[in-house]
Amino acid sequence: MNMRAQIPESLREEGFYLLENNLEAIARHMLIFSIALEDPEKMGLQERSETFLEVWGNALLRPPVAAFVRAQADRMAHLVPEPDRLQKQMTWLNLGALKFRERDALEAVLHFWAGGEKGPEAFPMSRLWDSRLRHYLGSRYDARRGVSDWDLHMKLHDRGARVIHTCEFRRWRDTGVAFELRDSSAYHVPNRTLASGRLLSQRGERVAARGYWGDIATGPFVAFGIETDDETLLRTNNGQPVKTAGEITQHNVTELFREVVAWGRPRATRGDSEQVPGDAGGSQAEPAATAPEPFTVHFLSLGSAQTLHHKSCYKGRFQLLYVACGMVHLLSPELGACVAPGGRLIVELAQYLVDLRQEQLQGFSARVRELAQAAGFAPQPGARPSETFARFFKPGDSAPSDEHPAVESGAPPPEVLAPPLEATNPPAEDPTQPLEGRTPLPSESQVSLSEVLAPPTGSQTPKPESPTRPPETRSPSPNF
């Protein structure tokens, strides 16, 4: 997996289509894209990288970052109900496929981020994190450091994430702060972008609650922090890595944003300008600085995975379908019909979910192959063996080669239907969980990995919706 993004020409012509199962995840995508595409004159490369890492991976923020989040959320909250203004100010964003009630709920989420409900008690992140941890560990809570070390050394390290240091993993397990870029006392503002709504049972009634239902087991380090193009960052001394996963993550994210900034500059300033024909005398005119061609991020309506193929604009359109491990239950013949012949399917496997045993990981991989075959895909010939991703293609006029510049570099082809897992899996319903106010539209329950592992009766594909609650883990895939 190449963590360095190479922006292909095709990206500048088309765009991405993202399918999520909750509106909080869509709002986080919008915020992360706004950070990545912020004007370089307003936000430098280091500030951009640090802001992204805190918003994306920390439960607690520094006050300056929290102020940035509030300002961006307030701006987007006023743009969402006004499509014309939204198109002018955020040209890369398209919310046209969302239903009106979904846009209203999205606006409410952004207002909450902007401080619509004042005070830390509106979202007491430290208390919610500890509550989740106590529920997850149970009787092992008092021995949580030992549990943390066991999960790290006996599971994550054995599965290839050896650069994650004990101290940074313990800190994240205890406080939710993965990337400590400043003094530890600077992180005390709750990260409201991690809030989400659920329907919980209280005294026999279904009650809307806002809380933290995200990852407390694996951590965000595996997304950008265990591989890099710079081999010097992976050196070891006496068998121990000299750099931590946090340092590697910061390097990879900085280089990623450096590529984005370079792509966003006019072509003439990148030395990529074309010669302009001169006048009759043969003199050459100065090359004009042209802005890069725009691309668009389309957000699809919640729960539309099984109905997209009914619309001619989506059927057989996409060249690459990426499915996160927490969304594998959506992989079906209906969704496969949206991929063009010769198109590719990449499925994230559950390699870094620490609560799964080795035989469960193997069963998950086998189930993914079954679902992909039922959806009309075949294993990609010549694909490199991987325990992290499974690669397939849709048989058509010609089989794809084992090398594809966009896929191998980590950058998607022109039109990508990507349903990543942004909002992470909740625990089983627990009436003792704190109720933190109402949410405008509670997130839909996700299907558990156990349901994916167990073939359903009467069909090769699982049902798209299920009330079964997933385990206390999440996909380690990045949201960007």
Side-chain angles (χ1 to χ4, degrees), residues 1-238:
M1 180 171 60
N2 188 341
M3 302 309 301
R4 187 176 181 181
Q6 304 290 337
I7 309 297
E9 287 292 334
S10 57
L11 174 64
R12 304 167 194 170
E13 299 171 358
E14 296 293 344
F16 304 92
Y17 290 74
L18 274 70
L19 177 62
E20 282 290 357
N21 63 357
N22 63 87
L23 293 166
E24 293 89 353
I26 292 179
R28 267 178 65 86
H29 285 308
M30 292 169 56
L31 177 61
I32 287 174
F33 270 105
S34 69
I35 295 173
L37 302 174
E38 184 66 80
D39 187 346
E41 299 296 327
K42 297 180 180 178
M43 179 179 284
L45 190 59
Q46 179 178 351
E47 182 184 4
R48 186 193 307 260
S49 301
E50 293 179 352
T51 300
F52 166 79
L53 289 178
E54 290 191 32
V55 171
W56 172 66
N58 285 359
L60 301 174
L61 306 176
R62 291 180 293 122
V65 176
F68 172 82
V69 171
R70 287 194 299 269
Q72 288 292 96
D74 183 69
R75 171 175 171 250
M76 291 188 294
H78 287 88
L79 290 177
V80 166
E82 301 185 33
D84 294 336
R85 285 185 59 205
L86 179 66
Q87 186 177 13
K88 290 180 180 178
Q89 297 190 30
M90 306 180 80
T91 57
W92 50 269
L93 178 62
N94 189 319
L95 302 178
L98 296 183
K99 300 175 182 177
F100 287 109
R101 62 180 179 86
E102 291 173 337
R103 297 187 200 181
D104 293 340
L106 180 62
E107 181 185 355
V109 170
L110 294 170
H111 275 304
F112 172 70
W113 292 3
E117 298 179 29
K118 303 292 184 181
E121 286 305 312
F123 186 61
M125 186 64 194
S126 296
R127 180 163 63 86
L128 293 173
W129 183 275
D130 185 69
S131 176
R132 284 290 315 284
L133 200 60
R134 287 176 182 273
H135 184 275
Y136 173 63
L137 296 177
S139 61
R140 302 180 299 164
Y141 178 80
D142 291 336
R144 55 189 177 278
R145 283 207 163 187
V147 175
S148 171
D149 292 346
W150 176 270
D151 287 344
L152 176 62
H153 292 281
M154 304 305 294
K155 296 180 180 179
L156 290 177
H157 282 186
D158 285 352
R159 298 177 189 180
R162 298 189 61 83
V163 295
I164 303 178
H165 196 274
T166 302
C167 291
E168 61 184 350
F169 190 73
R170 278 183 184 175
R171 182 186 64 235
W172 175 79
R173 272 282 182 97
D174 289 341
T175 66
V177 176
F179 307 107
E180 198 172 85
L181 309 174
R182 297 289 187 274
D183 184 79
S184 59
S185 62
Y187 298 89
H188 56 82
V189 182
N191 184 356
R192 292 194 178 198
T193 70
L194 296 178
S196 59
R198 312 298 305 182
L199 284 176
L200 301 181
S201 294
Q202 187 179 40
R203 298 183 181 91
E205 296 183 359
R206 305 285 283 181
V207 180
R210 179 186 290 125
Y212 174 70
W213 318 108
D215 177 32
I216 55 172
T218 299
F221 306 104
V222 296
F224 294 106
I226 60 176
E227 296 182 4
T228 179
D229 286 341
D230 188 350
E231 295 294 334
T232 62
L233 298 176
L234 301 177
R235 290 181 302 177
T236 59
N237 187 11
N238 294 327

